[in-house]
Amino acid sequence: MAPLLNGYANGASRHLPENPFLVEARFSDIPSQIDIPVTGLEAEEAVEVNLEELLDDPTELCTLLEQEGVGKHYWMVIALAYAKQAKVDHAIEILSKALSTLNRGNPKEKLGPLSLTCWLYLWKSREAPRVVPEGQSVGDIKLKDFYLQAATGSLNEASRINPAFPPLFLARGVLYLLRASLQPPSKVAAPGAPDISDRVETLRQSIKCFEDALRVSAGRNMMAVLGRARAYFSLGKYAEALDGYQEVLLKMPQLQDPDPRIGVGCSLWQLGHKDEAREAWERSLDLNPDSKIAHILLGLYYIHDSSHYATTDPAFGPIYKKAMTVYTQKAFKLDKEFPLTCATFGSYFMMVKSWATVENLARKAIEHTDVNAVASDGWYLLARKEHYQDRPDLAKANDFYQKADMARGGGDKGYLPARFGLVQIQVLQGDHDGAKFRLEKIIQQSKSTEAMMILGALHAEDVFRTQANGVKEDKSAEVKKATTLLEAVRLAWKDPLKKLIPDSSVLVYLARLYEVDQPEKALQCLQQVEQMTINDMPNREAPDGVEADEAWVAKLQEQLSPQLLCDIGCFQFHAEKYDQAREFFQTALNACVKAGEKDEDIDTDALVTTISYNLARTYEAAGLLDEARQVYAGLLARHEDYTDAQTRLAYIELRQNPTDDGPKAMAALYETDSTNLEVRSLFGWYLSKAKKRAPNIAEDQEQRHYKHTLQHHDKHDRYSLTGMGNLYLTTAREMRRDTDQDKDKRRKTYEKAVEFYDKALQLDPKNAYAAQGIAIALVEDRKELTAAVQLFSKIRDTVKDPSIYINLGHVFAELKQYSRSIESYEAALTHNRASDPQILACLGRVWLLKGKLDKSPSALKTSLSYSQRALALAPQQIHFQFNIAFVQIQLAQLLNILPESQRTLEDLLKASEGLEEAIESLGEIAKHPHPPYPRHDIEQRANMGRNTMRRQLERAVQAQREYEEKNAAKLQEAREAREVEMRRREEEKRKVEEQREEERRKVREERDKMALLSKELAERRAEEERRREEAEYTTDEEGGRVKRVKGKKKGGRRRKRGEDSDTGTEGGDGGGEKGKKGRRKKKVGSEEVSSASDEDAGVKSKKKRKRLARRGGKEDKFKSQEMVVESDSEDARQAAAQLTNGGEDGDVRMPDADDGDGGEPTGGRLKSRKRVIEDEDEDEEDEDEDGDEAGVEEDDDNDDKTTAGASFADNPHGDPVDESVGAAGDSEARVLAMSSAPTVLS
């Protein structure tokens, strides 16, 4: 045990403490006083020196020691006494004079003072500043490096005297450790390359020195183990460091200065076991309540624990308060110069913006630490302090961030928060590319969500900046990068292990990125921001007595940002959810009022104006034009120069009063602000609707208006360019194409239209209307239907306008894809065009073409229905009336040529009525002033219907009537035959069911009979048991139940062995064929009874085979091998006992199947005989027993009319009994089996 408890640094074999848990403080072996011998003339004297009250100037004491020539022991004790009182400089001075005195003696005497001097220099190095303090020069103060060089000099001098001096190994190891703390961490080398930096080599040298110290001390030097563990920790080998600290703790549990528990906790922390690290530090604090290191480490643990919660989380406050007040503040009170405490406390004062305190604490952490990470924290505090100023010094902050990063190795191993600070400085300086490059490297190494967030924001800002400047540059790659990074951050929020706090700015960036291409995702992001903001409200829960309904939610929404609510309303508007959009705009207006009450500096007027305009646009889109008019009027009352509101009011007037007030309002608006491009665009739209068709495009008013806009206002006005393209497209469509010259002129007009569309697309690549114009030109001019379908399909995904679906329907109709054409037209109807007669007419036309192609009367009927609906919406349109007449004629023609099986008489009659209506309509259309076709052609078609088609339909009606009458008779016969067949099948099915029911009834009756028989057998067995018990037991003189003792049967005698019995022979012969039949019949009954018994009781009887043992004294007397039936009933056991006892008088044998009586085969069932052979050698006792047993047999025979036991026959061959006899397990089965055997002669 002694080697394990030696805690002295040099490993010397001094006495060990009796109590291994006794704590010894540093310098505890320094006495309170020392006697210095003084030589006199008469006798030797001594001077007593009080080591607790030392002189401030040790010069006199050193003079005394030099004059008296004392040994090194006195010098060293006095120097240690000064060191004990923290007067290290005086201690070094004393040792320097001691070394000068000892120069005249043996050099080895200097080893102790030199070693002690080295340790004192190392001590001074720990307390010296790392860098020159602020405001001081290099010559005014000695740094750590100065004392390390002095310690190196003392160590080298001692090594020259004796390099194997044991204390030197430990001192050199500590020296290497402190020197490594001043060297910067190594940068990351190439993957797989060894780390050969100066710091790593220094730490390896320290490990070698500590191992040498352990070697010379035979493993007893625990300080060397601690030093080696510290070196491993600095190298990042935390598992090896943990092993070292645990070894010291195991061998020296009383050690507290230094405390190995601190190292154990730090190693566990680095290995990821943070709770176990806390337990180790708490144990250290229990042993030493004034441990500043344990206090600050526990404070750091709870600060880290609080970082898992949001600052608004109720759990955050208590944890952070405990970290700062219970532990960090206590550590600061214990030592205000401790670097780790200063760095930790500085972060708190950073939050309260106490800049002077932050500066002071950060400087202390940098100047006095031996740990590079603590120095990095100090530089980081200084950088943040400079960065957070109102007027930050970016150059100084950038310098501090770089120093903080380099203190932890820089490059890929640097300090991540400091690198984030460098990114922010680069952004403030406008170096966005440098910031992106640095962030990309951070993401490659750490997958930091913060880095992904900032990088995604930088890419998004580039996109937004380009859009704001109107620069034509493809930013799709930046959009994709920004979206991918921000979505990755959003996904990381869902990981419960990371405990990340969602940031609403990420969702806002995503909403802006999704705004154009994916508005539904943008809306989801804004709704998530809304929910997050509501969840963060302290009063989000409804009070008692108030239901958390929609009204309560709306009240909470009024506390949100008006901009957020307005944005959500805009996305709802574009999604055509006008009711929800209106609610959000109204809530946003209420939020503006509350925001203005809270902060008067907010410009609520601008917000209210914008939101009110959006609300009016929502009313307008929802068809509430009166409400929209009121909102616009209110806006103009507040801002009479609000052109957008005036424009929308004029548009509403044009829609409601297209002939009176609308044109007046439009003219007034145009006179007020004719230079506004929006006003000019609306005026151009008005001209396109109200103008008269000009024979020449150059004289067209709309064309002149667009041309004036492009020449004098904005040559890049996209609406005017698209309008010009529409004009030329319409003109080309109506141009003649009779001659080649006309066709060429028409083609050039189409090309002119395409030029205008192309110019508009160059200015706005997402102009769907210009793209649609090009697609129409391709169809009408070049008949490129497939290319037009592709263009229209792309435009359909961009713009939700009915015209796109109408054009798609036209193209599909030309391609004869009538089903897809119908789908397109019907989609156009659903986009607020349900009452558009043109779309209905197009649907009628396509259904007509589809019906003629498929020869489908139903399709023609659908076509007629759509044509009639179109005429109902526009009764003044004569061509809609012609369409109805044309479809009716086509329907009559189709039904006329269809075979009788594909039409009905009702259809023909209706078609005949429709034909009459068509003839009448065509006559009226021919008389119209402006018929859709030449009057002569229309009259000819009416005459054809009146003459030819009418007679054809009459013949078709007559033929169809005859066909249906004949077909009806056939159908009636087939129907009757089918009914007869159905009745026959039902009758057969009924009979089968009755037969099955009868079989089920019989089965039930058989089961009932079997159950009744089983019950009767059970009652009979119970009665037999009762009678047998009455026969076997009687009442004795005292009234108890005893077994009846029966007397020996009189008049009988035993027959000699070998004597034949006439009775037995007769019994055997008499039981011939009749006996066989009787036995065979009873066997069947036995099996039935056994089955019934087994079904009721659920118990199967078991067979046991038992070989009879050899009995008797003669060699030729053997028991035959038999099958003995074991049963649960008492009579079976008694029968088996009687057979066993009876066998003592002679052999009981069964005949073989081949040796049967008379030699007749019995079909597998043996014919048994039994003979009882009298033995004259048996005594009287045996005869009495035999007589008793025989008497029992007789009683049983009288009761049951059978022998109660298995039958055995006297067979010299010893053949086994037929196993089928005793197969059943119940008593009745045994009765049947025994009755089938020959009677036993007594």
Side-chain angles (χ1 to χ4, degrees):
M1 193 65 185
L4 298 179
L5 296 177
N6 180 18
Y8 293 97
N10 58 3
S13 57
R14 300 169 63 181
H15 68 278
L16 299 175
E18 296 180 358
N19 185 1
F21 295 95
L22 180 63
V23 178
E24 294 185 1
R26 293 191 181 187
F27 303 104
S28 59
D29 55 348
I30 302 301
S32 60
Q33 60 186 13
I34 187 173
D35 295 334
I36 299 175
V38 178
T39 56
L41 296 175
E42 296 181 356
E44 188 172 323
E45 299 177 358
V47 177
E48 182 178 320
V49 178
N50 189 350
L51 298 181
E52 294 180 353
E53 298 178 0
L54 295 170
L55 299 175
D56 293 336
D57 187 3
T59 304
E60 296 181 2
L61 188 57
C62 292
T63 302
L64 175 63
L65 295 176
E66 289 178 0
Q67 291 177 355
E68 297 302 326
V70 298
K72 66 177 181 179
H73 172 71
Y74 294 96
W75 293 94
M76 295 178 65
V77 170
I78 294 173
L80 287 172
Y82 273 99
K84 182 178 181 181
Q85 297 180 10
K87 299 177 180 179
V88 183
D89 292 332
H90 293 333
I92 294 174
E93 181 183 353
I94 293 172
L95 290 174
S96 298
K97 293 181 179 180
L99 290 172
S100 62
T101 302
L102 295 174
N103 281 333
R104 297 185 293 270
N106 187 359
K108 291 185 179 181
E109 292 293 324
K110 297 167 60 177
L111 288 175
L114 285 172
S115 177
L116 181 56
T117 302
C118 177
W119 282 108
L120 292 177
Y121 279 130
L122 294 176
W123 187 354
K124 290 290 291 183
S125 174
R126 295 291 302 275
E127 297 178 350
R130 183 188 185 96
V131 295
V132 179
E134 190 75 13
Q136 297 185 14
S137 61
V138 179
D140 297 340
I141 193 167
K142 297 178 180 178
L143 303 179
K144 290 181 179 293
D145 188 62
F146 171 81
Y147 292 105
L148 290 180
Q149 291 180 3
T152 303
S154 300
L155 198 59
N156 291 337
E157 185 177 354
S159 298
R160 285 192 292 270
I161 298 173
N162 184 8
F165 188 54
L168 298 182
F169 295 117
L170 184 63
R172 192 176 297 277
V174 175
L175 175 63
Y176 280 127
L177 269 181
L178 294 177
R179 185 177 293 169
S181 67
L182 298 180
Q183 296 171 340
S186 59
K187 294 184 179 181
V188 176
D195 193 347
I196 56 174
S197 62
D198 294 339
R199 180 174 178 272
V200 172
E201 290 299 325
T202 304
L203 290 173
R204 290 173 180 170
Q205 289 293 331
S206 68
I207 293 174
K208 183 177 182 302
C209 293
F210 290 133
E211 290 178 347
D212 290 339
L214 281 172
R215 176 178 50 80
V216 299
S217 66
R220 302 172 63 188
N221 192 334
M222 292 298 102
M223 293 298 110
V225 178
L226 282 175
R228 183 178 62 182
R230 180 67 179 85
Y232 278 133
F233 189 90
S234 299
L235 286 172
K237 299 180 179 181
Y238 304 115
E240 291 84 347
L242 179 61
D243 293 339
Y245 288 125
Q246 288 178 336
E247 180 184 354
V248 176
L249 187 60
L250 176 65
K251 295 180 178 179
M252 292 189 66
Q254 83 284 0
L255 184 62
Q256 295 183 14
D257 188 16
D259 193 346
R261 298 167 187 81
I262 300 297
V264 169
C266 292
S267 301
L268 289 171
W269 181 279
Q270 293 294 340
L271 291 172
H273 307 291
K274 293 181 171 52
D275 292 334
E276 289 80 358
R278 173 184 54 80
E279 294 174 359
W281 295 331
E282 287 177 346
R283 175 58 178 161
S284 175
L285 195 60
D286 292 340
L287 297 176
N288 184 11
D290 293 333
S291 174
K292 59 184 179 183
I293 303 177
H295 272 99
I296 189 57
L297 289 176
L298 286 172
L300 290 173
Y301 169 82
Y302 285 106
I303 290 175
H304 177 269
D305 191 23
S306 67
S307 66
H308 296 155
Y309 303 93
T311 54
T312 57
D313 196 316
F316 173 80
I319 299 175
Y320 188 78
K321 183 178 180 181
K322 183 177 183 180
M324 300 308 298
T325 59
V326 177
Y327 294 108
T328 306
Q329 189 175 12
K330 179 64 179 296
F332 188 74
K333 290 179 180 179
L334 292 172
D335 187 357
K336 296 182 180 180
E337 306 294 328
F338 190 53
L340 183 57
T341 305
C342 293
T344 306
F345 227 18
S347 62
Y348 169 77
F349 288 105
M350 176 68 68
M351 290 190 298
V352 299
K353 297 184 179 181
S354 180
W355 307 124
T357 307
V358 172
E359 176 85 18
N360 184 27
L361 293 175
R363 292 291 179 183
K364 287 183 179 180
I366 296 169
E367 294 168 1
H368 296 94
T369 185
D370 292 327
V371 181
N372 290 317
V374 178
S376 176
D377 291 339
W379 290 118
Y380 182 66
L381 285 174
L382 291 177
R384 290 178 64 195
K385 175 233 172 189
E386 294 294 336
H387 192 178
Y388 289 178
Q389 300 292 329
D390 295 335
R391 294 181 178 179
D393 188 346
L394 299 182
K396 187 179 290 186
N398 187 74
D399 180 54
F400 289 151
Y401 278 132
Q402 287 182 347
K403 288 183 178 180
D405 186 40
M406 294 303 298
R408 276 186 164 91
D412 297 339
K413 292 176 59 178
Y415 191 32
L416 189 59
R419 297 166 73 182
F420 277 121
L422 288 171
V423 169
Q424 293 174 344
I425 298 297
Q426 287 178 314
V427 172
L428 292 175
Q429 292 176 344
D431 185 11
H432 291 179
D433 293 336
K436 291 178 185 177
F437 178 75
R438 193 182 295 272
L439 286 170
E440 287 173 354
K441 292 188 66 176
I442 293 174
I443 294 172
Q444 290 175 0
Q445 298 159 10
S446 62
K447 302 297 180 183
S448 170
T449 55
E450 291 82 0
M452 289 190 287
M453 186 189 308
I454 298 175
L455 183 57
L458 288 176
H459 285 300
E461 288 293 341
D462 286 348
V463 175
F464 303 151
R465 193 180 305 108
T466 303
Q467 293 175 352
N469 295 334
V471 180
K472 296 180 181 179
E473 185 178 355
D474 185 13
K475 288 290 183 179
S476 58
E478 283 74 8
V479 171
K480 184 176 180 181
K481 288 180 181 178
T483 305
T484 303
L485 291 168
L486 295 176
E487 283 291 356
V489 175
R490 188 181 179 187
L491 183 62
W493 295 344
K494 301 179 182 179
D495 190 351
L497 300 178
K498 294 182 179 180
K499 296 183 179 180
L500 297 177
I501 302 172
D503 191 344
S504 59
S505 62
V506 174
L507 298 171
V508 174
Y509 275 119
L510 282 172
R512 293 188 63 184
L513 292 169
Y514 288 138
E515 180 179 1
V516 178
D517 296 329
Q518 296 175 308
E520 65 283 352
K521 287 189 176 181
L523 177 60
Q524 292 176 2
C525 293
L526 293 180
Q527 288 174 340
Q528 188 174 352
V529 173
E530 174 196 6
Q531 190 61 44
M532 288 168 53
T533 309
I534 292 177
N535 293 337
D536 292 339
M537 292 181 181
N539 56 347
R540 67 178 182 274
E541 298 295 337
D544 297 337
V546 178
E547 295 183 0
D549 53 2
E550 295 181 359
W552 176 255
V553 174
K555 186 176 180 180
L556 292 177
Q557 289 177 339
E558 292 177 358
Q559 304 178 29
L560 299 175
S561 168
Q563 295 89 335
L564 173 63
L565 296 172
C566 182
D567 290 342
I568 295 176
C570 290
F571 281 108
Q572 297 282 14
F573 175 86
H574 288 294
E576 299 180 359
K577 299 177 181 179
Y578 303 121
D579 294 336
Q580 293 91 325
R582 184 173 65 250
E583 293 176 359
F584 272 101
F585 289 137
Q586 292 173 346
T587 306
L589 289 174
N590 298 333
C592 287
V593 176
K594 291 190 175 182
E597 294 174 355
K598 293 180 181 179
D599 189 357
E600 296 179 355
D601 297 334
I602 299 177
D603 185 9
T604 56
D605 181 67
L607 288 173
V608 170
T609 302
T610 302
I611 297 171
S612 298
Y613 178 81
N614 292 338
L615 179 61
R617 290 285 290 114
T618 305
Y619 281 133
E620 189 179 346
L624 305 174
L625 299 181
D626 294 335
E627 289 81 353
R629 186 196 300 273
Q630 293 177 3
V631 177
Y632 288 135
L635 286 173
L636 289 174
R638 296 170 56 191
H639 305 281
E640 59 182 9
D641 58 343
Y642 196 1
T643 306
D644 289 337
Q646 295 175 351
T647 304
R648 299 312 302 178
L649 272 177
Y651 175 72
I652 292 174
E653 290 293 341
L654 285 172
R655 290 185 60 184
Q656 291 183 332
N657 302 296
T659 59
D660 188 11
D661 294 338
K664 293 179 181 179
M666 188 68 250
L669 174 63
Y670 190 71
E671 291 176 1
T672 303
D673 192 0
S674 61
T675 60
N676 189 288
L677 292 178
E678 295 294 332
V679 175
R680 297 189 68 85
S681 299
L682 180 62
F683 189 71
W685 174 83
Y686 164 70
L687 291 176
S688 67
K689 299 296 182 181
K691 71 178 181 179
K692 295 181 179 180
R693 183 175 302 176
N696 189 359
I697 191 173
E699 300 175 0
D700 190 271
Q701 293 180 352
E702 184 183 3
Q703 190 267 352
R704 290 179 178 179
H705 174 73
Y706 291 144
K707 186 176 181 180
H708 187 269
T709 301
L710 293 172
Q711 288 179 347
H712 299 91
H713 295 279
D714 185 5
K715 65 178 181 180
H716 298 305
D717 183 37
R718 290 167 291 180
Y719 187 88
S720 298
L721 291 170
T722 307
M724 290 289 285
N726 291 337
L727 279 173
Y728 278 98
L729 186 67
T730 305
T731 303
R733 184 184 299 120
E734 297 175 354
M735 292 179 67
R736 299 174 62 87
R737 62 195 88 174
D738 298 336
T739 63
D740 294 339
Q741 185 178 0
D742 293 339
K743 293 179 181 180
D744 185 64
K745 186 176 180 180
R746 182 172 180 266
R747 179 181 56 79
K748 290 181 179 180
T749 307
Y750 274 118
E751 291 177 355
K752 189 71 173 177
V754 171
E755 288 179 3
F756 281 107
Y757 290 137
D758 184 63
K759 181 65 175 179
L761 284 172
Q762 290 178 9
L763 296 171
D764 182 12
K766 295 185 178 180
N767 190 334
Y769 299 99
Q772 186 175 199
I774 293 177
I776 295 172
L778 287 175
V779 174
E780 295 181 354
D781 183 28
R782 301 182 182 181
K783 304 299 180 181
E784 296 182 5
L785 301 178
T786 305
V789 168
Q790 295 177 357
L791 278 176
F792 283 130
S793 300
K794 292 181 180 180
I795 298 168
R796 178 187 57 190
D797 299 334
T798 305
V799 178
K800 296 179 180 179
D801 190 83
S803 61
I804 301 171
Y805 295 96
I806 294 173
N807 290 325
L808 272 174
H810 293 341
V811 177
F812 284 131
E814 292 295 328
L815 290 171
K816 296 185 179 181
Q817 299 180 13
Y818 300 124
S819 298
R820 299 183 67 180
S821 177
I822 292 170
E823 291 177 1
S824 300
Y825 287 136
E826 290 179 347
L829 285 177
T830 59
H831 286 73
N832 297 328
R833 300 288 291 272
S835 58
D836 192 333
Q838 296 294 338
I839 301 177
L840 294 173
C842 292
L843 277 168
R845 174 177 173 271
V846 175
W847 276 108
L848 175 64
L849 296 174
K850 180 177 175 61
K852 292 176 68 177
L853 180 65
D854 299 339
K855 295 183 179 181
S856 171
S858 61
L860 292 179
K861 292 177 183 178
T862 306
S863 173
L864 180 61
S865 174
Y866 278 116
S867 300
Q868 291 171 346
R869 286 172 60 186
L871 181 62
L873 292 172
Q876 71 280 3
Q877 298 292 335
I878 193 65
H879 59 278
F880 290 160
Q881 188 177 356
F882 176 82
N883 291 342
I884 294 175
F886 182 78
V887 174
Q888 289 173 334
I889 292 175
Q890 293 297 322
L891 180 59
Q893 288 179 347
L894 178 62
L895 290 173
N896 184 43
I897 63 175
L898 285 178
E900 290 85 352
S901 60
Q902 297 182 11
R903 65 188 183 187
T904 63
L905 180 62
E906 183 181 0
D907 292 338
L908 287 172
L909 293 176
K910 289 183 179 180
S912 179
E913 295 175 0
L915 178 62
E916 297 299 328
E917 294 176 0
I919 293 171
E920 184 179 354
S921 298
L922 290 175
E924 295 177 359
I925 295 170
K927 298 177 183 179
H928 196 273
H930 302 287
Y933 292 97
R935 185 176 289 106
H936 177 71
D937 294 344
I938 297 175
E939 291 176 351
Q940 281 188 349
R941 188 173 292 274
N943 292 330
M944 183 184 67
R946 188 180 297 110
N947 299 322
T948 305
M949 294 190 63
R950 181 183 291 173
R951 289 194 297 271
Q952 290 177 350
L953 272 182
E954 290 175 354
R955 290 195 297 269
V957 168
Q958 182 64 28
Q960 187 69 24
R961 182 177 288 111
E962 295 175 358
Y963 170 77
E964 290 188 0
E965 289 176 357
K966 295 179 181 179
N967 195 35
K970 294 180 181 179
L971 288 175
Q972 183 63 25
E973 293 177 359
R975 191 178 296 110
E976 292 176 356
R978 186 173 182 277
E979 290 177 356
V980 171
E981 179 67 18
M982 292 297 294
R983 285 195 296 271
R984 184 185 64 79
R985 292 182 181 179
E986 290 177 358
E987 182 66 21
E988 291 179 355
K989 183 177 180 181
R990 185 185 60 78
K991 290 181 179 180
V992 171
E993 289 294 332
E994 290 178 355
Q995 183 177 359
R996 291 178 180 175
E997 182 62 27
E998 180 65 20
E999 292 177 355
R1000 287 194 290 268
R1001 186 187 61 77
K1002 290 181 180 180
V1003 171
R1004 286 196 298 270
E1005 290 178 355
E1006 291 179 0
R1007 288 180 179 175
D1008 294 340
K1009 289 180 181 180
M1010 293 174 65
L1012 182 62
L1013 178 60
S1014 177
K1015 182 177 180 181
E1016 292 176 355
L1017 291 176
E1019 292 176 354
R1020 190 185 305 171
R1021 286 197 301 270
E1023 180 64 22
E1024 291 173 356
E1025 291 291 338
R1026 185 185 62 77
R1027 290 167 58 189
R1028 185 180 294 107
E1029 184 177 355
E1030 290 178 356
E1032 291 181 357
Y1033 290 90
T1034 186
T1035 306
D1036 58 5
E1037 297 177 355
E1038 298 178 356
R1041 295 278 292 174
V1042 296
K1043 190 173 183 179
R1044 186 188 300 272
V1045 179
K1046 297 183 179 181
K1048 185 171 59 173
K1049 191 173 181 180
K1050 304 295 184 178
R1053 69 178 183 89
R1054 293 183 181 272
R1055 297 184 181 276
K1056 293 183 180 180
R1057 188 183 307 273
E1059 185 178 354
D1060 295 334
S1061 174
D1062 297 334
T1063 306
T1065 304
E1066 291 173 1
D1069 296 337
E1073 292 297 325
K1074 186 177 181 179
K1076 284 197 300 181
K1077 293 179 181 180
R1079 286 194 300 271
R1080 187 177 299 114
K1081 182 177 181 180
K1082 290 183 179 181
K1083 180 177 184 296
V1084 173
S1086 175
E1087 290 174 354
E1088 293 177 355
V1089 173
S1090 177
S1091 300
S1093 177
D1094 290 346
E1095 181 177 356
D1096 294 338
V1099 179
K1100 292 184 179 181
S1101 61
K1102 300 180 181 180
K1103 292 183 181 181
K1104 287 189 178 180
R1105 300 178 183 271
K1106 182 175 180 182
R1107 187 182 298 276
L1108 299 179
R1110 178 177 177 178
R1111 302 290 300 273
K1114 297 183 180 181
E1115 295 180 359
D1116 58 345
K1117 293 176 67 176
F1118 291 93
K1119 293 291 182 75
S1120 64
Q1121 297 180 357
E1122 291 294 335
M1123 293 297 296
V1124 180
V1125 179
E1126 184 185 26
S1127 175
D1128 294 337
S1129 60
E1130 185 65 25
D1131 57 342
R1133 287 193 294 270
Q1134 292 178 0
Q1138 293 171 7
L1139 291 175
T1140 304
N1141 294 334
E1144 294 178 358
D1145 295 337
D1147 292 338
V1148 181
R1149 310 189 66 172
M1150 295 292 295
D1152 201 352
D1154 298 333
D1155 300 333
D1157 191 13
E1160 296 178 2
T1162 59
R1165 184 175 182 87
L1166 297 179
K1167 198 172 181 182
S1168 303
R1169 292 183 306 159
K1170 182 173 284 292
R1171 293 185 302 172
V1172 179
I1173 302 174
E1174 190 178 41
D1175 192 352
E1176 296 178 353
D1177 297 334
E1178 298 292 338
D1179 54 9
E1180 187 65 22
E1181 184 179 358
D1182 295 334
E1183 292 178 0
D1184 293 340
E1185 293 177 358
D1186 294 339
D1188 293 339
E1189 294 172 358
V1192 173
E1193 288 185 9
E1194 288 177 357
D1195 291 340
D1196 294 340
D1197 184 68
N1198 292 330
D1199 293 338
D1200 301 335
K1201 307 301 180 182
T1202 58
T1203 302
S1207 62
F1208 293 90
D1210 192 6
N1211 186 0
H1213 299 286
D1215 294 324
V1217 71
D1218 188 357
E1219 294 182 3
S1220 63
V1221 175
D1226 54 46
S1227 301
E1228 292 300 327
R1230 287 194 299 274
V1231 171
L1232 294 174
M1234 288 184 287
S1235 63
S1236 65
T1239 303
V1240 179
L1241 300 180
S1242 57

